[in-house]
Amino acid sequence: MSTNGTTALSLDDLTRILRESAGEDEAVDLSGDIADVSFTDLGYDSLALLEVASRITREYQVSLPDEELDRAGTPRAFVELVNTELSQT
């Protein structure tokens, strides 16, 4: 269970964490339908995603395997990864 009382990560949660931990490129609108847009196209590089993963690890008390993070190239894939890991804890 996360520190915010939920047991799953939503796309809205991920969007909030992206904005808070890694910043947001002014040219990118994270309020639109971003589920299947690559993180690269959203302006987030691997370092920014590591910061996001670290924050999710703290907030949701879940371990995210590095090799799986590398394959989660979109917000939808990232949310699915986190929720799969949460369901196993």
Side-chain angles (χ1 to χ4, degrees), residues 2 10 19 21 28 31 39 52 54 61 67 75 83 85 88:
S2 76
S10 70
R19 285 184 174 126
S21 62
V28 176
S31 64
F39 284 115
V52 169
S54 176
Q61 291 86 44
E67 63 276 2
N83 289 332
E85 294 299 318
Q88 297 175 6

Side-chain angles (χ1 to χ4, degrees), residues 4 11 13 37 39 45 47 49 64 68 79-80:
N4 65 9
L11 187 56
D13 294 329
V37 178
F39 284 115
D45 61 14
L47 183 60
L49 292 177
L64 301 172
E68 295 295 323
V79 167
E80 288 173 357

Side-chain angles (χ1 to χ4, degrees), residues 35-64:
D36 296 311
V37 178
S38 75
F39 284 115
T40 303
D41 289 344
L42 292 172
Y44 291 90
D45 61 14
S46 58
L47 183 60
L49 292 177
L50 284 175
E51 185 176 338
V52 169
S54 176
R55 179 144 177 200
I56 288 172
T57 297
R58 287 190 310 273
E59 283 190 29
Y60 288 82
Q61 291 86 44
V62 63
S63 178
L64 301 172

